Amino acid sequence: GAIYALGNVTISANSTLSDNEVSDGDGGAIFAEGNVTISNSTLNNNFAGQDGGAVMTSGILNVSSSTLSGNISHQHGGALRGFQNVTILDSTLSGNEANWNGGALYVVGASGNTRNTTVTNSTFADNKALGTSELSGNGGAIYGYGTITSTRSTFTNNSALLHGGAVFSELAGVGGTVDVSNSTLRGNKALAASSEGGAIHAHNGKVLFSTFVNNTASTDVGGILGDSIKKTGDGEFEIGANIFAGDAARAQLGIGASPTPFTDLGGNVF
């Protein structure tokens, strides 16, 4: 790759890191043991043979006003792989691919510790979790072990082979938490015959003032809200003041008595 650091890394001032490669390792452009801060920069067409097509960091990861596109990982995190909390602000992640999970971003702490992933005023488009190994192919845009928060952001045309065409939040193998507000999720797909959650797959969550259009998944079982959201198990999931359009005709608030249906806060349009 371009940068290997035992400490912190800062990339700024209209920097560009492109066409870097690590054939049998992590972080195609940046590998860091410390925190990584990326601002006003472009990372494109980087490749990692393992995790983090563009960046792998063991520390906190902050990305702002930047573009990450066309990055590829042979395992997790097509563009980014974080072990600590991750913040994405005013940025675009597009056309990234992971062979396993997290087409653009994969956030799982060491030893499976939970982490927070926060996305604000950002766009995730055309990212893919291809699912080339067993039980992989989750989170076309983001795979997070813990809580994923999206505010005023857009997820468009992302795809996952299995679950969570845009967002997959896992915790202890059951499902994690999502908190989505004032966001748009459009044209995201969970592709396989047993796939769930065309846009979101999570255990707990709250989705407010957001728009879901033409998201698709194949499985028609309990805890489905159209093709857009899959709620796993007996988690708590609230929805309010959202628009659901163009989904398959399954816009009921949970199918069947188990798992527990969604909580309707009112103001939803189907």
Side-chain angles (χ1 to χ4, degrees):
I3 298 172
Y4 180 93
L6 297 178
N8 300 333
V9 173
T10 298
I11 305 295
S12 61
N14 299 311
S15 299
T16 297
L17 286 82
S18 63
D19 301 305
N20 299 286
E21 179 176 333
V22 175
S23 60
D24 188 21
D26 303 313
I30 300 171
F31 179 97
E33 296 289 350
N35 301 333
V36 173
T37 300
I38 299 168
S39 61
N40 298 296
S41 295
T42 299
L43 287 77
N44 58 13
N45 300 328
N46 300 289
F47 171 83
Q50 295 182 16
D51 291 356
V55 179
M56 200 295 292
T57 174
S58 298
I60 295 169
L61 174 59
N62 292 307
V63 178
S64 62
S65 303
S66 295
T67 298
L68 293 88
S69 64
N71 301 289
I72 297 173
S73 72
H74 263 190
Q75 294 185 10
H76 302 300
L80 304 171
R81 192 334 182 181
F83 279 89
Q84 302 294 332
N85 295 339
V86 174
T87 300
I88 309 292
L89 172 66
D90 296 330
S91 295
T92 297
L93 289 83
S94 64
N96 303 288
E97 294 184 4
N99 275 6
W100 292 7
N101 298 306
L105 171 61
Y106 182 87
V107 185
V108 177
S111 302
N113 291 324
T114 60
R115 297 293 182 244
N116 296 323
T117 303
T118 304
V119 177
T120 307
N121 290 333
S122 294
T123 296
F124 286 73
D126 302 304
N127 302 290
K128 299 178 181 179
L130 300 176
T132 60
S133 70
E134 186 177 4
L135 300 180
S136 71
N138 300 297
I142 300 174
Y143 181 111
Y145 206 90
T147 299
I148 299 172
T149 302
S150 170
T151 306
R152 297 185 301 278
S153 295
T154 300
F155 295 80
T156 304
N157 296 331
N158 303 287
S159 63
L161 179 66
L162 288 180
H163 310 310
V167 175
F168 184 96
S169 182
E170 183 174 324
L171 178 61
V174 177
T177 298
V178 295
D179 188 345
V180 178
S181 62
N182 298 102
S183 295
T184 298
L185 296 92
R186 180 189 302 270
N188 302 289
K189 301 176 178 66
L191 299 171
S194 58
S195 66
E196 300 173 337
I200 295 173
H201 187 288
H203 189 61
N204 302 295
K206 179 180 288 186
V207 179
L208 302 174
F209 304 107
S210 295
T211 300
F212 294 78
V213 180
N214 294 335
N215 301 291
T216 58
S218 64
T219 303
D220 187 2
V221 296
I224 297 291
L225 182 57
D227 277 0
S228 288
I229 302 174
K230 166 64 178 180
K231 177 182 73 65
T232 62
D234 59 356
E236 298 181 0
F237 212 118
E238 300 176 326
I239 62 169
N242 302 293
I243 297 172
F244 293 88
D247 290 324
R250 301 200 299 271
Q252 53 267 54
L253 300 181
I255 297 173
S258 179
T260 305
F262 295 83
T263 299
D264 186 359
L265 301 180
N268 295 292
V269 177
F270 300 102

